[in-house]
Amino acid sequence: QVQLVESGGGLVQAGGSLRLSCIASGSIRSINGMGWYRQGPGNQRDLVAVISSGGMTNYADSVKGRFTISRDNAKKTVYLQMNSLKPEDTAVYYCYADITFRSGTMYRGWGQGTQVSVSS
């Protein structure tokens, strides 16, 4: 069993910054890819950023140059630094982790979501 707990969401003015964190816990042998999705009101869940176990990153075009994803493998934690926030970044942000359990089973775990609201 695995649990992903997110933190760091909130309300910020346009142009401001927030840093999201997501910590994985459980009977984890290793974590491969980690990342963040977001879902705005009435929208589908869209990929924001991903990072491999080796630190390779990829971003949605809408956040390139403003958001930075990073991870701490020892802490089983992924971060999303969000700068120059815009009202259109308002969404519930979900982290995920591609986990291999000690049993060898592989599983994609999801966080519960954290609300980010950007006012104009």
Side-chain angles (χ1 to χ4, degrees):
Q1 192 169 359
V2 65
Q3 189 174 22
L4 276 73
V5 179
E6 301 161 354
S7 61
L11 174 64
V12 65
Q13 288 188 329
S17 298
L18 285 174
R19 188 190 194 211
L20 306 183
S21 300
C22 173
I23 302 173
S25 62
S27 300
I28 298 171
R29 185 169 78 189
S30 63
I31 301 177
N32 193 3
M34 303 183 82
W36 295 89
Y37 279 71
R38 68 185 180 186
Q39 187 168 16
N43 295 335
Q44 63 183 17
R45 191 175 294 191
D46 293 324
L47 182 67
V48 175
V50 298
I51 184 167
S52 71
S53 58
M56 293 183 64
T57 60
N58 198 16
Y59 297 91
D61 288 342
S62 59
V63 307
K64 282 180 181 176
R66 300 188 298 122
F67 290 11
T68 302
I69 189 170
S70 61
R71 63 190 285 172
D72 184 327
N73 290 330
K75 295 182 178 179
K76 300 183 179 66
T77 301
V78 62
Y79 305 96
L80 186 67
Q81 178 66 44
M82 305 185 293
N83 298 329
S84 303
L85 282 161
K86 304 175 181 180
E88 51 263 44
D89 294 318
T90 295
V92 178
Y93 285 69
Y94 299 90
C95 68
Y96 78 88
D98 290 326
I99 291 165
T100 300
F101 291 109
R102 291 173 183 162
S103 65
T105 302
M106 300 176 72
Y107 173 79
R108 172 167 286 191
W110 290 92
Q112 79 284 359
T114 186
Q115 177 71 46
V116 171
S117 299
V118 185
S119 63
S120 58

